[in-house]
Amino acid sequence: MTRSKVRLITIIGTLAIAAIIVVQGYWVLQMWNYKEKEFSQTVKVSLYRVAKQLVELNGSVLPNTGIINQMSSNYFVVNVNDKIQADHVEYFLRKEFQKVLINEDFEFGIYDCSNDQVVYGNYIKANAEPIQNFKEKSILPTHEGFTYYFVVFFPNRSTSLIANLMYVFLFSLLLLIALGVFVYSIFVIVKQNELSELQKDFINNMTHEFKTPLASILLASGAISSNPKVKDDSVIQRLTGIIDQQNKRLISHVEKILELAKLEKNKFLLFTEKLELNNVIREMLPALELRIENVQGVMNINLSNEDIFILADKIHLTNVLDNLIDNAIKYSINNPVIYISSSIQKGKVILSIEDNGVGMDIVTQKKVFQKFYRHHTGNVHDVKGFGLGLFYVKNICNALNWKLKIESTPAQGTKIFITIPKV
């Protein structure tokens, strides 16, 4: 993954996390306010009914204004403007709260004009008998402006509200855990990407350093083999030939690694031009036939009778064909039989390479174009290579907007189709 992609993912992830936290916090706050408002309205309605029943019991009327006064979220003052008896207040409070399903502990007190104090009435536990021990309960304050009133206090309102919203807090906790995992994952991705970049830079630098000594070896080997003193020495000629062959192989591997680095960073250059496909294939045939003959194989060519013009980079096109042929030879069971054909179908150019090799199952076909993936023919990797050939082919086809298709059956060979726009 490139640095720009990691940076983009990090920015998007950070913004998403911030947005989720803000939305979640706003939602929790709204839910809290809604529950508070709902509770307040329900209590006010119930207290108004209690006040109305108290004055009706005494044959009086309620004040015109200021009957229900909410002093805080859990503390209410009810002005009835008439004498009040504690047992009446308790009875009506319990009855009205049960009607509206207020299952909250509450305590009430009644203002006593004689000593200017709120006399503690009782502590009522939700769905239980009243508690008669008042000494350890709240000290309820007096309120100026009222002569006859009682107060109601819900001591456990905050705790009860938190309990009612427990599922919201639980969801928020799970969300925070998920966000924490996401943040940690981003951190790991960034760290791994940095290590991967360091590793790639090291490999690329090391590969570049290989090119100079390899070129020197090739020049030295060529100088030795062309020296008149050793030209007639078959042993030295054979050894220098081996050195040349293996040196060229190393150079080929180095070039593949460098091309891979360019592919990954999208820095490879394509010099597209109008090419006649059949001519490009014919130019490659002598070298390809020589390789096939070295493994006692057969190559069958079936090119279109008409000229086929395409837009392609000649170097990359020959590399694509070379990689596909190389794979067909590597994965042959016995003597390789390879078919190369070109045709025009429905206005599209179809280039196909078929072999009689080991073939591939469905799982291998899905992985074969991945970087460093190598299909092996047994319990050991008996085919040499880095697993970069088909990865290179796939990337070049994608860059040129060519379609790549593979058909294969285990032990029955493989056929690869490249669909190319016709010019």
Side-chain angles (χ1 to χ4, degrees):
M1 185 180 294
T2 61
R3 291 180 181 177
S4 59
K5 286 184 179 179
V6 172
R7 191 181 299 113
L8 179 62
I9 291 173
T10 303
I11 293 172
I12 293 174
T14 302
L15 293 176
I17 290 171
I20 290 172
I21 291 174
V22 170
V23 170
Q24 183 67 14
Y26 175 78
W27 181 47
V28 171
L29 183 61
Q30 288 295 101
M31 285 289 292
W32 183 281
N33 292 335
Y34 172 77
K35 290 290 184 181
E36 285 277 22
K37 187 176 180 180
E38 181 185 39
F39 177 76
S40 176
Q41 292 295 332
T42 305
V43 171
K44 285 180 179 180
V45 170
S46 300
L47 292 178
Y48 179 82
R49 290 173 181 171
V50 170
K52 189 175 181 180
Q53 291 176 75
L54 287 173
V55 297
E56 287 176 354
L57 191 64
N58 295 332
S60 59
V61 294
L62 288 171
N64 293 327
T65 59
I67 300 171
I68 310 299
N69 302 271
Q70 186 172 0
M71 302 303 175
S72 65
S73 62
N74 62 345
Y75 188 62
F76 299 82
V77 176
V78 183
N79 178 27
V80 296
N81 200 25
D82 200 355
K83 293 182 179 180
I84 307 168
Q85 294 185 23
D87 55 344
H88 293 166
V89 175
E90 179 179 333
Y91 171 76
F92 289 128
L93 284 174
R94 289 168 65 88
K95 184 179 74 170
E96 291 301 325
F97 286 167
Q98 286 176 0
K99 280 183 181 180
V100 293
L101 303 176
I102 295 179
N103 297 316
E104 296 274 354
D105 295 359
F106 70 91
E107 44 191 328
F108 71 94
I110 300 171
Y111 176 68
D112 186 354
C113 300
S114 61
N115 57 14
D116 192 28
Q117 289 183 350
V118 174
V119 179
Y120 197 84
N122 210 342
Y123 184 99
I124 311 298
K125 196 166 181 64
N127 302 320
E129 293 299 321
I131 299 174
Q132 300 298 331
N133 182 15
F134 308 146
K135 293 181 181 179
E136 298 179 1
K137 306 307 173 188
S138 306
I139 298 175
L140 303 175
T142 59
H143 299 275
E144 296 182 2
F146 305 127
T147 305
Y148 298 103
Y149 65 89
F150 66 91
V151 296
V152 178
F153 177 59
F154 297 89
N156 301 323
R157 176 58 193 158
S158 296
T159 305
S160 177
L161 185 58
I162 291 173
N164 289 334
L165 294 176
M166 185 59 67
Y167 70 96
V168 177
F169 291 115
L170 180 61
F171 176 77
S172 300
L173 178 62
L174 293 175
L175 181 61
L176 288 174
I177 292 173
L179 292 176
V181 172
F182 177 77
V183 170
Y184 177 74
S185 300
I186 289 293
F187 173 79
V188 171
I189 290 173
V190 171
K191 198 68 177 175
Q192 290 296 324
N193 186 70
E194 290 176 355
L195 294 174
S196 178
E197 289 296 325
L198 287 173
Q199 183 185 40
K200 289 177 184 176
D201 290 341
F202 171 75
I203 292 173
N204 292 335
N205 291 335
M206 181 182 66
T207 306
H208 275 290
E209 293 298 322
F210 281 164
K211 294 185 72 175
T212 300
L214 287 173
S216 300
I217 293 171
L218 187 62
L219 290 173
S221 174
I224 292 172
S225 61
S226 60
N227 191 308
K229 296 180 179 179
V230 296
K231 270 189 176 182
D232 297 331
D233 193 323
S234 60
V235 175
I236 294 178
Q237 289 295 322
R238 183 172 64 84
L239 293 176
T240 54
I242 293 172
I243 293 172
D244 284 345
Q245 182 184 15
Q246 296 303 315
N247 190 70
K248 288 176 181 177
R249 184 178 177 185
L250 280 174
I251 291 174
S252 174
H253 288 327
V254 167
E255 291 298 332
K256 279 188 178 180
I257 293 172
L258 293 175
E259 286 296 329
L260 173 65
K262 292 178 182 178
L263 284 173
E264 290 180 328
K265 295 181 179 180
N266 293 320
K267 290 184 178 179
F268 65 97
L269 298 176
L270 289 173
F271 298 99
T272 56
E273 57 182 318
K274 188 175 181 180
L275 298 172
E276 206 288 304
L277 178 61
N278 293 335
N279 284 339
V280 175
I281 296 174
R282 291 189 188 100
E283 288 175 7
M284 296 179 63
L285 284 179
L288 295 176
E289 288 173 346
L290 182 62
R291 287 162 62 185
I292 291 292
E293 289 173 3
N294 286 337
V295 291
Q296 290 79 47
V298 177
M299 179 175 290
N300 298 300
I301 309 298
N302 183 22
L303 302 180
S304 173
N305 293 326
E306 59 179 304
D307 291 340
I308 299 177
F309 290 98
I310 62 172
L311 281 178
D313 182 305
K314 188 173 182 179
I315 293 176
H316 287 295
L317 174 59
T318 55
N319 286 342
V320 165
L321 289 169
D322 187 73
N323 276 288
L324 293 176
I325 299 298
D326 187 55
N327 266 20
I329 295 172
K330 283 181 180 178
Y331 291 98
S332 60
I333 298 175
N334 295 308
N335 299 332
V337 179
I338 298 172
Y339 298 86
I340 301 175
S341 66
S342 64
S343 62
I344 298 176
Q345 300 177 17
K346 298 180 181 180
K348 299 285 186 179
V349 177
I350 307 296
L351 173 64
S352 68
I353 292 92
E354 184 179 0
D355 62 57
N356 64 335
V358 296
M360 293 176 276
D361 55 25
I362 298 297
V363 175
T364 303
Q365 290 178 43
K366 291 179 180 179
K367 296 180 179 180
V368 75
F369 294 111
Q370 295 176 6
K371 181 175 60 175
F372 303 129
Y373 180 81
R374 293 175 59 242
H375 176 57
H376 53 88
T377 57
N379 294 327
V380 295
H381 289 276
D382 48 6
V383 177
K384 306 301 179 183
F386 294 131
L388 300 177
L390 291 181
F391 175 76
Y392 170 83
V393 170
K394 178 69 173 176
N395 277 271
I396 294 299
C397 288
N398 289 342
L400 292 168
N401 294 317
W402 297 352
K403 292 183 179 179
L404 191 62
K405 181 183 176 184
I406 187 167
E407 293 180 359
S408 185
T409 304
Q412 295 184 23
T414 300
K415 193 170 186 178
I416 292 179
F417 300 90
I418 300 177
T419 305
I420 307 171
K422 183 176 179 292
V423 178

